[in-house]
Each structure stands twice: as C-alpha cells, then as structure tokens.
C-alpha cells in the first residue's frame, strides 16, 4: 500500500520511445522530416509526455494536454537551446557560447535583462507607432518605388518570398541598424543574409568542407559587414563626440548589456546575428504564406480586397493599421489561419536542474523539454473536424467580426510562460505591407493558376518557409488610393 502511495507521489521519468535504428534513428527522422517528425511521434503515442534520444541529447516531448503546465516548470532556460540550434550555423564564438549556456548567475541575469529590454522596446504603443511608420516609410520608398516604376513601364515579375524577405527584413533592419546608411541599406547585404538564413540546416553540418562555398561566403559577408558597421559607428561616435544618440538607441542598449557581460567585438557580432535570425524570418515566412494563400484562392482574394478598398476609401488617405482588426476582419483571420496552419514548429527549453512537470513527470538535468505545436494547431477537438484545411473563416464569428476566443487558442508566440515581444509589431508590419501590395498591384500567377508550395523541411526554428519560391506578374492597379499614408494611432493593442 505504502509503495503505491510512493509511486503516485514520486515524479517518474517520462517513458522512452526508441527508434528502429539505435542512437541515430530520431536524428535521421528529424533530418528527413524537420519539425513534423516530432509531431508525428506525438500522434503515434497516447503518452502525454515521452522521452527520445537524439545522439547524445535527451528530449522530453510534451503533448498539448500538458502544455498548460509548462509555465509552472522551474529550472528551464532558452539560451542553451538557442546554442544547440545556432552554434555551428552562425559560427558562434566562445563568448556567445558561454553566455548562452546560462550556467552561472551572471549569464542568467543577462538573459533576463535582455528579455526585459525587448519587452520594453517592442510592446509599448509609442514605440510600435515609431516602428510601424518608420518601417513602412522604408518599404514604401525603396522597394515599392522600384516595383511601381517597372510595373508602369510594362510589367514586372517578382519572386514572392524573395521580394517579401527583402522588403520586410530591409525595413526592420534599417529601422534598427542605422537606416539607409547601415548594413540593411545595401541590397547585397540583404541578398547574402537571405541565402545564409534560408540555409541554416545546411550550415549546421559538422565540418566546413561539407558546406557549399556559396553559403560560407554569404555568412562571411554578413559577419564582416556587421563588424564594419559597429566599427564605423564607433569611429563616428569618437569623431563627433556624440555618444548619446548611439547609446540611447535600442541596439546601443543591447550592446551595452553585452559589453557589461564581457563581450569582445566578435561577441557583439554573434549577438547581432542571433537577433537578426530571431527577428526577421518568422514575420517574412508568415507574410509570404499569406500571399500564397490569397493567390491560391481567388474568391478569398476578392473578398479581402473588397474590405480593404472600402476601409481605405473611408480612411481618407490615412490608414490606421490598428483599426484593421475591425475594418478588415477577413484579412486578419487569414493572418491567424496562416499562423495556425503553418505554425507546426516546436518550442523548447533546456533543463538546468532536475525538475517536475505537472507534479508527475521528472525532467532530468541536462535534457531538453520540447513542445511541438502542430498537434495542438491541428487538433480536431480544438479546431473542429476541418482542422486540416486552410479556412480563415474559423477565426470569424457569425456576424463576420473577429473571434477573439479562437485567436487566443493560437500558440505560435510561446508556451513556456513568456511570449514573443515582437508579436504586435509582426502583425502590424504584415498588415502595412498587405495594404501597400494589394492597393497598388494586381498580382497574377504566371501560368494562370497558383501552385501553393509545400513547407520546407529545412527550417530550423519558427514557421516553416515555403519549399520553393513562386514568380508572379505585378500589374499596377488604377485606384483611388495613390499616396495613402500608413499610421498607427490607436492606443489599443487590439491584435
Ligand atoms: C509571426 C511572426 C513571429 C512569430 C511567430 C514569433 C514567435 C516567437 C517565439 C515562439 C519566440 C520564443 C518565445 C519563447 O519560447 O519564450 C519569439 C521570441 C522572440 N521574438 Fe518573435 N516571433 C515573430 C515575430 C517577431 C518580430 C517581428 C520581432 C521583432 C521585434 C520578434 C522578436 C522576438 C524576440 C526579441 C524574441 C526573444 C525574446 C526573449 O528572449 O525574451 N519576433 N518569437
């Protein structure tokens, strides 16, 4: 009797699930299937949590029924997982590795402080307003100007993903890294950055001779340009004596934090790369998928365009993107459906000390806890029998307005108690881009109908990117909305 009591109360190690090929079977599964391999393991077992071994790494996979308990688990941290994912692909140096390991109080404090900086920078409305309007300014003047001219001059073709990456990442990058004169003002930098970020899995190979030279060149180019930028900024600062402007900028504050924790120049370059790898790809992938789905479903596109045209007409030349959830619910619903449908990645943490999940399961020190999101985002009990279909309407109420309850079921922004600090900026950037694109152009697939790409298995973190890029023709629309201004006025955070 006493023994049964003890068994119930003593946390147990989650049951282990082995693969057909010992030691490397799960590694091969992941290499072939990407994050969907983890989801498929979840669907194969009824256990709420189970353990797998990938070579030397032990991971506990946590299924949706236990994700609510994750924020309560102690002794977890993100840094060591980031290190596992990015150490080789970003070529991180000694300093960043020791900081990300978070095995002393100083580095753990750094992680907490840098998270606080992110939240303070990207959540308040006054900052969002600055970013949304500034990024739109870059997008509108640089990238749209070019496409506009060429579209008027007799048709312009673009590759959707490449163009959206260039447009959004340049806009966000310029707004954080010194405007048009910073690294993101150079199209060559952005092209190398894209090559580099889109090939993280290949750059993760254990030896450089296994990696295509083109990728190594792109990585080198990006690193050198960031180093040069930091150096030039430092020289400018010394020459002008104006230290305040640089140090008060967001990037200046992140750098100051790195420096107080002992970063050398390479350490700061590493950290900037980590930031770029975290900030850009998700919003680019989500926006790209949104356009793919709009093009693949002409009926949806017509409806979305109609609500947008009406909204812009009523806005009298100044569109407030914060009002779009009310004025363009179908467009927002499409955005959320993209996050659900393509939000099949996994979120995780490193376990610093033996700890428990749901008071029942023992998570061992040195292992990882991983929560694949697809089992939740495709759960028929949560989303209904058509969970496997792309249906933006599931985010709308019967009266056509956005359904907040449905939106809150999404888990793409975090499940471990902290949420992505860029979530508000992401949706507003995407909406501003959509307003610009849909107002100015008719986008038509080159072969008459649009092929929706499948998801790439090579995305290491965040939303999967489309497996291939699609070229579309851009024709300038005759519309009433020339010179429309994008604003972010609202004091609400409605998204
Ligand atoms: C649809 C777009 C996006 C998605 C799905 C997304 C998702 C995520 C997720 C899942 C995390 C990890 C949360 C955790 O495990 O605690 C994260 C972290 C982060 N995201 Fe995003 N993100 C997006 C866009 C952005 C944008 C545009 C920014 C730019 C400001 C951004 C900035 C960050 C930062 C700085 C972190 C690290 C937070 C920390 O260490 O405390 N994200 N994001």
């Amino acid at each position: 009797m006493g023994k049964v009591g003890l068994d119930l109360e003593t946390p147990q190690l989650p049951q282990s699930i082995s693969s057909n090929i010992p030691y490397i079977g799960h590694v091969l599964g992941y290499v072939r299937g990407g994050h969907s391999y983890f989801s498929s393991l979840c669907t194969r077992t009824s256990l709420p949590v189970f353990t797998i071994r990938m070579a030397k790494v032990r991971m506990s996979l946590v299924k949706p029924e236990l994700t609510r308990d994750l924020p309560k688990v102690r002794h977890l941290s993100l840094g060591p997982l980031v290190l596992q994912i990015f150490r080789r692909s970003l070529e991180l140096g000694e300093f960043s590795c020791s900081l990300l390991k978070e095995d002393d109080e100083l580095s753990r404090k750094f992680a907490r402080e840098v998270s606080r900086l992110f939240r303070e920078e990207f959540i308040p409305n006054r900052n969002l307003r600055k970013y949304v309007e500034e990024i739109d300014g870059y997008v509108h003047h640089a990238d749209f100007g070019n496409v506009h001219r060429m579209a008027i001059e007799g048709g312009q073709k673009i590759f959707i993903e490449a163009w959206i990456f260039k447009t959004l990442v340049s806009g966000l990058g310029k707004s954080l890294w010194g405007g048009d004169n910073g690294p993101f003002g150079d199209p060559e930098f952005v092209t190398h950055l894209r090559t580099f970020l889109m090939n993280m899995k290949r750059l993760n190979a254990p030896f450089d001779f296994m990696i295509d030279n083109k990728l190594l060149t792109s990585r080198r180019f990006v690193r050198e340009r960031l180093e040069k930028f930091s150096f030039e900024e430092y020289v400018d600062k010394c020459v002008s004596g104006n230290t305040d402007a640089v140090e008060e900028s967001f990037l200046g504050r992140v750098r100051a934090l790195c420096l107080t924790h002992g970063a050398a120049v390479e350490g700061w370059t590493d950290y900037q790369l980590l930031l770029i790898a975290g900030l850009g790809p998700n919003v680019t992938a989500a926006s790209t998928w949104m356009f793919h789905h709009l093009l693949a479903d002409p009926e949806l596109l017509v409806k979305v365009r109609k609500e947008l045209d009406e909204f812009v007409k009523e806005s009298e030349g100044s569109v407030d993107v914060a009002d779009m959830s009310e004025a363009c619910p179908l467009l927002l619903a499409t955005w959320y459906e993209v996050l659900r449908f393509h939000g099949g990645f996994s979120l995780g943490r490193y376990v610093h000390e033996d700890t428990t999940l749901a008071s029942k399961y023992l998570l061992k020190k040195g292992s990882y806890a991983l929560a694949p999101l697809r089992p939740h985002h495709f759960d028929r009990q949560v989303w209904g029998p058509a969970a496997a279909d792309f249906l933006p309407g599931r985010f709308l109420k019967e009266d056509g307005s956005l359904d907040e309850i449905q939106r809150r079921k999404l888990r793409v922004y975090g499940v471990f108690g902290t949420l992505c600090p860029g979530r508000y900026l992401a949706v507003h950037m995407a909406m501003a881009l959509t307003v610009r694109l849909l107002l100015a152009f008719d986008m038509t697939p080159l072969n008459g109908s649009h092929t929706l790409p499948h998801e790439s298995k090579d995305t290491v973190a965040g939303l999967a990117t489309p497996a291939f890029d699609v070229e579309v023709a851009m024709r300038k629309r005759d519309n009433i909305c020339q010179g429309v201004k994008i604003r972010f006025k609202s004091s609400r955070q409605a998204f």
Side-chain angles (χ1 to χ4, degrees):
M1 193 67 185
K3 179 118 186 358
V4 173
L6 188 73
D7 280 346
L8 283 178
E9 280 159 28
T10 311
Q12 305 289 312
L13 270 176
Q15 204 172 305
S16 197
I17 294 202
S18 53
S19 62
N20 296 339
I21 311 169
Y23 199 66
I24 55 159
H26 291 307
V27 177
L28 291 177
Y30 169 69
V31 170
R32 283 193 212 113
H35 282 251
S36 55
Y37 177 67
F38 299 132
S39 317
S40 68
L41 286 178
C42 290
T43 40
R44 268 192 252 154
T45 171
S46 58
L47 297 166
V49 52
F50 56 94
T51 303
I52 62 168
R53 253 185 186 283
M54 290 179 69
K56 288 186 194 151
V57 175
R58 182 209 288 267
M59 294 201 291
S60 300
L61 270 70
V62 181
K63 290 193 9 189
E65 47 268 49
L66 287 180
T67 30
R68 271 177 202 286
D69 293 278
L70 286 174
K72 288 174 246 154
V73 180
R74 299 178 62 215
H75 307 304
L76 300 181
S77 61
L78 183 57
L81 181 66
V82 171
L83 186 61
Q84 276 284 342
I85 299 172
F86 292 113
R87 185 208 306 245
R88 275 201 300 269
S89 49
L90 296 185
E91 212 185 11
L92 300 179
E94 217 176 293
F95 162 76
S96 337
C97 292
S98 70
L99 202 58
L100 286 168
K101 270 187 203 143
E102 291 183 34
D103 53 11
D104 57 41
E105 188 42 42
L106 193 66
S107 53
R108 282 200 277 269
K109 191 165 162 243
F110 171 79
R112 285 195 300 273
E113 284 186 17
V114 85
S115 279
R116 181 180 50 79
L117 263 187
F118 293 145
R119 282 197 306 277
E120 285 174 3
E121 184 65 17
F122 296 116
I123 302 279
N125 266 328
R126 60 175 190 286
N127 292 0
L128 274 183
R129 181 169 309 132
K130 183 193 82 169
Y131 281 119
V132 169
E133 297 183 4
E134 202 170 277
I135 292 168
D136 175 64
Y138 289 125
V139 167
H140 190 207
H141 291 116
D143 298 297
F144 271 80
N146 289 339
V147 182
H148 254 275
R149 272 189 297 282
M150 294 172 81
I152 292 167
E153 283 162 14
Q156 155 79 327
K157 292 178 205 154
I158 59 162
F159 280 97
I160 303 184
E161 191 276 332
W163 190 82
I164 290 182
F165 181 96
K166 187 175 99 186
T167 307
L168 284 184
V169 171
S170 302
L172 181 58
K174 283 180 199 171
S175 124
L176 291 172
W177 272 265
D180 284 317
N181 298 324
F184 289 85
D186 174 6
E188 203 184 352
F189 174 85
V190 180
T191 305
H192 279 298
L193 182 65
R194 178 165 171 270
T195 308
F196 164 35
L197 292 180
M198 299 289 280
N199 287 288
M200 293 298 233
K201 207 164 177 179
R202 284 182 193 88
L203 281 161
N204 227 345
F207 304 103
D208 275 8
F209 70 80
M210 298 167 82
I211 305 171
D212 186 342
N213 246 334
K214 200 177 130 206
L215 304 184
L216 297 175
T217 308
S218 287
R219 183 170 68 188
R220 205 172 314 120
F221 186 99
V222 170
R223 291 193 72 98
E224 285 173 6
R225 193 52 68 86
L226 287 173
E227 272 162 32
K228 188 165 165 262
F229 173 66
S230 304
F231 179 71
E232 285 169 355
E233 242 197 347
Y234 173 74
V235 172
D236 280 355
K237 191 172 82 175
C238 294
V239 172
S240 67
N242 180 11
T243 49
D244 292 355
V246 175
E247 266 146 31
E248 277 168 17
S249 70
F250 166 65
L251 216 57
R253 278 177 282 139
V254 180
R255 181 165 60 180
L257 210 58
C258 279
L259 292 177
T260 31
H261 289 78
V265 178
E266 313 82 69
W268 173 231
T269 305
D270 284 356
Y271 207 81
Q272 291 179 82
L273 278 175
L274 280 168
L275 254 181
I276 297 169
L279 305 186
N282 269 323
V283 66
T284 309
S287 306
T288 305
W289 283 118
M290 192 162 68
F291 280 96
H292 277 306
H293 284 283
L294 288 173
L295 287 171
D297 184 347
E299 224 174 281
L300 175 67
L301 179 60
V302 167
K303 286 187 194 155
V304 162
R305 222 191 244 299
K306 188 165 172 276
E307 63 179 24
L308 195 63
D309 281 346
E310 271 165 27
F311 172 52
V312 173
K313 222 182 273 175
E314 279 161 24
S315 306
E316 297 174 348
S318 180
V319 169
D320 186 351
V321 281
D323 287 340
M324 287 180 70
S325 53
E326 270 161 38
C328 306
L330 184 57
L331 176 57
L332 265 296
T334 309
W335 169 257
Y336 295 133
E337 181 65 343
V338 160
L339 296 182
R340 181 192 75 87
F341 198 77
H342 297 289
F345 54 98
S346 318
L347 293 171
R349 291 291 189 268
Y350 176 72
V351 183
H352 271 291
E353 299 292 336
D354 284 4
T355 189
T356 53
L357 168 66
S359 316
K360 263 197 202 158
Y361 302 100
L362 177 63
L363 304 179
K364 287 297 280 179
K365 173 178 177 172
S367 67
Y368 291 84
L370 206 69
L373 298 185
R374 195 173 300 271
H376 169 74
H377 284 148
F378 276 62
D379 186 343
R380 299 170 84 189
Q381 289 190 344
V382 178
W383 304 98
D389 299 335
F390 186 87
L391 296 173
R394 72 173 83 250
F395 286 95
L396 297 177
K397 293 195 236 168
E398 266 180 31
D399 66 2
S401 61
L402 266 181
D403 190 338
E404 269 302 296
I405 296 172
Q406 287 289 90
R407 187 189 65 80
R408 284 201 211 109
K409 293 178 186 169
L410 288 172
R411 290 187 178 162
V412 279
Y413 291 121
V415 289
F416 285 90
T418 51
L419 294 181
C420 164
R423 60 197 185 278
Y424 300 115
L425 182 59
V427 65
H428 292 116
M429 278 170 72
M431 289 305 120
L433 178 79
T434 312
V435 171
R436 293 264 173 234
L437 259 180
L438 291 187
L439 282 185
F441 302 107
D442 276 323
M443 296 163 79
T444 20
L446 289 187
N447 60 2
S449 71
H450 185 74
T451 318
L452 195 67
H454 47 271
E455 293 183 356
S456 162
K457 304 282 184 215
D458 288 346
T459 314
V460 289
L463 260 81
T465 47
F468 54 88
D469 209 354
V470 176
E471 199 175 15
V472 293
M474 310 282 279
R475 200 167 45 78
K476 175 111 190 40
R477 282 179 90 202
D478 300 322
N479 59 34
I480 35 125
C481 318
Q482 290 301 327
V484 71
K485 286 194 170 54
I486 302 281
R487 292 279 175 258
F488 178 88
K489 289 195 207 129
S490 169
S491 56
R492 289 171 301 135
Q493 243 153 29
F495 294 90

